[in-house]
Amino acid sequence: MPRLNFTFDPLPRTTYSPADLFAGFDPRDAQSFAATRDFEIYREYMASGKYAPNDYFTAMMQAMHDNSVTQALRDFLSSTDARPVGVMGGHKLLRGSEAYRNVAYLSRELTNRKFVMLSGGGPGAMEATHLGAVLRHSRDGELEAAIRLLESRPAVPDLTDLVGADGTVNTALIAEAHAWFAPAYEIATNVTSRGESLAMPTWLYGHEPSSPLATRIAKYFQNSIREDGLLAIATSGIVYVEGRAGTLQEIFQDAAQNYYRTFGCFSPMVFLGSTYWSTTVPAIPVLKALFRPEDFDAYVFLTDDVGKAADFIESHAPTETAAEQIGKYLRHEVHRREE
């Protein structure tokens, strides 16, 4: 018989807030990470079969949840005239590294230019996105102080075995997750005038803590819906910083949307890190061969300068509102499912 009670609401009316997901976390209690609603949902997700639920009813409830989150996301974006910009990059990017700092400063700048910053909501480049946004009113010294606090735990620990397939919790890894999460939680809790940003994480990677620095969280069970949606919504531009396989996948998924004008426009692609993207991981030469020359020259920008990256986004972003962009995404999803 299918289970009837779940730790998650199958029909959420709004995107999640940090309080919704992280209530119960206590910076003084090393095991309190496991007391949060976010973790309880992840534990249930693992015990019920992860991405292949053990029964049809669980699968249906998860699908309802994800659809409701998308609708709530539409409502949020429809309520603001801010233009969405995504940041993609490695989840292992060290706190305090040059690339991490660049993302934080760029995100702060773009938030102050009335863009709404988006990320996958996890560690690394994603966390830096929300740090810059939430501290939009900070001076350089204040932002640097926040980065120094985070640097006390520079690398996200390997939490792959945080929860077993049967829902068993590894208490030693809970303590490690707590120690890594606590500095970001402290910053998020103490900000008095915060800038808004949107995180779109997934319980598929639920062993990696979602960022408490985001003010809105659209968390999904299905990673494919979340990933495609994030790229689709960020039509005001996407900034890429150093990353590996996952970031490359996002680059070329975004490239396909742009190449075919899936949402009616070519959203700017900014690559922050000239040597990295031209030589270390040479995505730029491939994109130059793929795109029409006029598109590549107009919409693909390689730079090491945060200010120039912000200027490029502002001068090349489409004029559509967020509501129009999310509407196109939803119509695209309906058409795709009907095919």
Side-chain angles (χ1 to χ4, degrees), residues 138-326:
S138 67
R139 298 184 178 90
D140 287 356
E142 293 168 319
L143 181 53
E144 285 295 328
I147 293 173
R148 285 195 298 273
L149 176 61
L150 292 165
E151 278 185 299
S152 64
R153 297 283 177 173
V156 62
D158 183 355
L159 302 172
T160 307
D161 298 323
L162 189 63
V163 176
D166 60 353
T168 303
V169 177
N170 185 322
T171 55
L173 289 183
I174 287 292
E176 289 192 37
H178 178 278
W180 187 85
F181 183 84
Y185 182 85
E186 179 181 341
I187 292 168
T189 302
N190 292 328
V191 175
T192 54
S193 179
R194 63 190 62 205
E196 197 159 47
S197 64
L198 172 65
M200 294 177 65
T202 171
W203 280 292
L204 178 65
Y205 302 132
H207 59 281
E208 291 188 343
S210 295
S211 178
L213 296 164
T215 54
R216 302 271 184 161
I217 305 171
K219 194 157 188 175
Y220 288 86
F221 290 106
Q222 288 293 324
N223 180 55
S224 58
I225 297 174
R226 159 258 193 179
E227 199 164 69
D228 187 64
L230 200 162
L231 291 166
I233 291 165
T235 51
S236 291
I238 297 180
V239 179
Y240 294 98
V241 294
E242 58 185 71
R244 290 292 176 173
T247 306
L248 280 175
Q249 176 183 330
E250 290 154 353
I251 288 170
F252 291 106
Q253 192 171 347
D254 183 30
Q257 290 182 0
N258 283 331
Y259 184 90
Y260 292 111
R261 299 297 202 278
T262 304
F263 302 103
C265 66
F266 195 121
S267 60
M269 301 176 74
V270 174
F271 292 83
L272 200 54
S274 297
T275 300
Y276 188 86
W277 291 118
S278 60
T279 305
T280 309
V281 179
I284 293 297
V286 178
L287 292 176
K288 189 170 185 178
L290 172 67
F291 292 139
R292 290 187 292 271
E294 59 270 26
D295 285 341
F296 181 87
D297 292 342
Y299 298 112
V300 180
F301 186 56
L302 179 65
T303 186
D304 296 306
D305 189 295
V306 167
K308 289 180 180 178
D311 290 343
F312 186 86
I313 289 286
E314 186 164 43
S315 62
H316 290 76
T319 57
E320 290 179 310
T321 65
E324 290 168 334
Q325 292 164 6
I326 190 68

